[in-house]
Amino acid sequence: MQYSAKVMDHFTNPRNVGEIEDASGVGTVGNAKCGDIMRVYLDIDDDGFIKDVKFKTFGCGAAVATSSMATELIKGKHINEALKLTNRSVMDALDGLPSIKVHCSVLAEEAVRAALWDYAEKKGISIDGLEKPADDIHDSHHEDLQEED
Ligand code: FES
């Protein structure tokens, strides 16, 4: 399996690892198939900008690298901007992933959306284009991206 230099960099030196106390939003998603779990913490200011973001990933190297890159891509952005994050944009920023590792990037996208969802629920607001995320991406609409072991 061939990983890009960027994937290796974000795997060996992940950015934004940790947790945020009293976070504005926390999202946890897992993939029952591989057993990996990702949790994203957001600190969002009154204007809807993501002041800080941290993550914890109990998962494979690609899951660590994609969550690291995902947090980098949304840090400082407005929530409407963060909502546009896709697993594709995370993969592109990492110069690609091997096809059997695509689902790891889906976990990163869904963890960010789950944290945004939690934020919206806590605030009692609805964010355009944001739907309730699945707890387990294996059962979600991303099924087509799953690879057989
Ligand atoms: Fe499941 Fe990477 S193998 S997230």
Side-chain angles (χ1 to χ4, degrees):
M1 197 183 309
Q2 199 62 41
Y3 285 115
S4 73
K6 276 190 191 159
V7 173
M8 292 311 295
D9 176 31
H10 279 264
F11 168 57
T12 51
N13 179 27
R15 325 309 195 252
N16 310 312
V17 174
E19 46 189 288
I20 297 173
E21 258 183 66
D22 301 321
S24 316
V26 182
T28 307
V29 291
N31 182 331
K33 200 171 174 191
C34 63
D36 293 348
I37 299 169
M38 207 178 275
R39 182 170 297 154
V40 167
Y41 301 81
L42 298 174
D43 182 10
I44 299 170
D45 73 14
D46 292 340
D47 297 320
F49 285 92
I50 298 169
K51 284 192 298 183
D52 199 11
V53 48
K54 296 263 190 264
F55 80 90
K56 278 189 166 176
T57 289
F58 308 92
C60 73
V64 172
T66 52
S67 28
S68 170
M69 181 55 88
T71 55
E72 284 289 274
L73 289 173
I74 63 167
K75 202 173 191 174
K77 299 267 169 66
H78 193 269
I79 51 172
N80 292 335
E81 215 40 55
L83 205 53
K84 292 186 200 150
L85 182 91
T86 62
N87 77 297
R88 180 63 54 187
S89 53
V90 173
M91 282 199 295
D92 286 348
L94 286 168
D95 294 335
L97 278 176
S99 58
I100 63 160
K101 288 289 171 183
V102 168
H103 77 271
C104 316
S105 65
V106 174
L107 207 53
E109 174 191 325
E110 291 296 326
V112 167
R113 295 178 79 87
L116 287 168
W117 178 264
D118 182 49
Y119 163 74
E121 285 228 301
K122 281 182 178 151
K123 285 275 268 188
I125 59 170
S126 72
I127 302 175
D128 263 0
L130 182 63
E131 287 167 21
K132 188 171 181 6
D135 295 334
D136 183 344
I137 63 157
H138 190 226
D139 299 326
S140 78
H141 55 282
H142 291 293
E143 184 74 26
D144 52 319
L145 289 171
Q146 302 289 320
E147 295 282 329
E148 295 308 315
D149 299 321

